Amino acid sequence: MNYELFIAKRIIAGKEYKNSISSPIIKIAIVAISLGMAIMLISVAVTSGFKQKVREKIAGFKGHVQITNYDNNNSDVSTVALDINQDFYPSFKSIKGIKKVQPYINKGGIIRTPTDFQGIVFKGVNKEYDFTFFKDYLIAGRLPNYNQKRNKEILISKSILDRLQLKLNDTIETWFQTKSATKFKMRKPVIVGVYDTGFEQFDTTILLGDLKEVQRINKWKENEVGGFEVMLDNFNSLELKADKIEMEVTPLLKTTTILNSFSNLFEWLKLFDNNVIFIIIIMIVIASINMITALLVLILERVQMIGVLKALGSTNRGIQKVFLYNATYLILKGLFFGNIIGVGLLLVQKYFGVISLNPATYYVSTVPVNINILPLLLLNIGTLLLCLLMLIIPSMLVAKIHPSKSIKFE
């Protein structure tokens, strides 16, 4: 019996099906699985990359958690001073997973040129600030030098630079309101670096400079800052870490996460997950339907062979396994080509940025890609198992075939 089943496997898996009626149907099934897998891989990688980039940019400008005075009234501008000498600064000793605690002061103002002006937020930081984010998006010049006695150097965005027709190493004129509503202070910082994150909401406003310069404008003491940014190692633990941070700081201070500050944006990002789930379900259903069709045609085309095998003593279960084994081979073949197509297209986009986006709408200039091995493996294994599960019922057609009638079948 094993010999007959072995022969059956070789016949079904052999090249002879290429000239049979089932040949185009099998090819369509393989193509459907390949395209479905490619689309699923692209959907997951692009969604993951998009969410990762947006989170990275918001955290780069604002930190994962902000600690401020309650009197700031949710304003991006630091209006009330906070003592830098806190128990949690420079680090939370009892909370793991915190990468950095860094002070800052935000000061609202304007840049004025002979022909135009631009509203800005001057973000003052000290030399301990983590400049990794701005270094990654630096497109010209360098970072400010914080080792000099007085640092008037600033980073400015390409958006502001282009709009006001400024250039690298220009000395610009900035004005800041004092406590008196009728008085302003002027400063003349020097542009030493230009960044471009593609996140227009921040690029059009944020200037990065020295914290001491903002202290001078506000007439604050050396130990007074606007607040603290807390950077985490893992974004996924943000809510848990935020709760622990809130327990550690004094009740007089307020902790705010970027999830709360940009709730609408993160709710929008969640919609991407729903879209990906919908795409995955549709692609698996389409692939399964094509495989069911191919399997049924394959069985009907070999009715006589099934009858002969049964006459020789083969069981329904044994013959059913033969067709499922070969269906598995076809599914794996489709998955193989699907992975090549999907990963290939993703790599092209990742390294060459072929498809661009409007940063004013999507917060990124090109379609971001995040290729992760674990989701790739789960998609392949999940697709294989679900397709096979859906093939079990149609494969039971083998049991309905009777040797006496099937041998005469044409």
Side-chain angles (χ1 to χ4, degrees), residues 142-160:
R142 58 175 174 81
L143 297 173
N145 179 12
Y146 283 81
N147 293 321
Q148 51 191 319
K149 187 174 181 180
R150 183 166 182 179
N151 178 16
K152 292 186 178 182
E153 299 176 345
I154 61 166
L155 282 180
I156 194 171
S157 73
K158 184 177 181 297
S159 299
I160 299 175

Side-chain angles (χ1 to χ4, degrees), residues 111 120-124 131 138 140-146 148 151-157 160-161 166-174 176 187-195 206-211 213-214:
I111 299 174
I120 52 97
V121 173
F122 190 109
K123 182 175 181 178
F131 288 95
L138 193 68
R142 58 175 174 81
L143 297 173
N145 179 12
Y146 283 81
Q148 51 191 319
N151 178 16
K152 292 186 178 182
E153 299 176 345
I154 61 166
L155 282 180
I156 194 171
S157 73
I160 299 175
L161 203 77
L166 301 170
K167 61 182 183 297
L168 196 65
N169 299 319
D170 275 355
T171 300
I172 61 175
E173 188 177 297
T174 57
F176 303 94
R187 290 292 185 272
K188 289 188 175 182
V190 180
I191 300 171
V192 297
V194 182
Y195 71 86
I206 299 294
L207 267 69
L208 197 71
D210 195 347
L211 183 141
E213 283 297 302
V214 189

Side-chain angles (χ1 to χ4, degrees), residues 115-135:
T115 58
D116 209 344
F117 68 92
Q118 170 77 42
I120 52 97
V121 173
F122 190 109
K123 182 175 181 178
V125 299
N126 60 16
K127 62 181 179 181
E128 279 80 33
Y129 185 80
D130 185 357
F131 288 95
T132 304
F133 172 75
F134 286 98
K135 191 181 293 184

Side-chain angles (χ1 to χ4, degrees), residues 193-213:
V194 182
Y195 71 86
D196 183 20
T197 68
F199 205 119
E200 291 296 311
Q201 184 174 342
F202 296 119
D203 282 6
T204 53
T205 56
I206 299 294
L207 267 69
L208 197 71
D210 195 347
L211 183 141
K212 292 180 181 178
E213 283 297 302

Side-chain angles (χ1 to χ4, degrees), residues 203-384:
D203 282 6
T204 53
T205 56
I206 299 294
L207 267 69
L208 197 71
D210 195 347
L211 183 141
K212 292 180 181 178
E213 283 297 302
V214 189
Q215 287 175 334
R216 292 188 183 97
I217 296 170
N218 288 344
K219 292 186 177 180
W220 287 0
K221 299 175 183 178
E222 288 188 2
N223 65 317
E224 292 181 323
V225 296
F228 297 89
E229 291 177 352
V230 182
M231 304 297 293
L232 305 180
D233 291 331
N234 185 0
F235 180 88
N236 295 326
S237 64
L238 176 54
E239 292 180 318
L240 177 63
K241 292 294 188 293
D243 291 337
K244 291 182 178 180
I245 290 169
E246 188 173 11
M247 295 294 292
E248 288 288 323
V249 303
T250 171
L252 299 176
L253 300 180
K254 178 178 64 174
T255 59
T256 308
T257 68
I258 55 176
L259 290 174
N260 295 327
S261 300
F262 300 89
S263 56
N264 291 336
L265 182 54
F266 283 103
E267 286 298 324
W268 177 59
L269 289 176
K270 285 183 181 178
L271 295 176
F272 283 77
D273 293 330
N274 297 332
N275 293 338
V276 169
I277 292 171
F278 179 75
I279 289 171
I280 290 174
I281 291 173
I282 292 297
M283 291 299 103
I284 291 178
V285 169
I286 292 173
S288 299
I289 291 173
N290 278 277
M291 278 306 306
I292 289 171
T293 304
L295 182 62
L296 289 174
V297 172
L298 205 60
I299 292 172
L300 292 173
E301 195 176 40
R302 287 160 175 77
V303 169
Q304 288 184 334
M305 185 193 74
I306 295 170
V308 171
L309 290 173
K310 284 189 175 185
L312 293 172
S314 298
T315 63
N316 289 324
R317 188 174 181 181
I319 300 171
Q320 186 179 351
K321 285 182 179 180
V322 172
F323 286 98
L324 287 177
Y325 288 152
N326 285 278
T328 303
Y329 166 75
L330 297 176
I331 294 170
L332 289 173
K333 190 174 181 180
L335 293 178
F336 173 75
F337 289 113
N339 280 278
I340 291 177
I341 295 169
V343 174
L345 291 174
L346 289 172
L347 290 174
V348 170
Q349 177 61 28
K350 182 175 182 177
Y351 292 106
F352 298 101
V354 178
I355 304 175
S356 59
L357 296 172
N358 181 4
T361 304
Y362 296 100
Y363 308 107
V364 289
S365 55
T366 60
V367 174
V369 168
N370 180 29
I371 303 175
N372 197 321
I373 298 297
L374 182 59
L376 188 148
L377 290 175
L378 291 176
L379 277 176
N380 279 273
I381 294 171
T383 302
L384 175 62

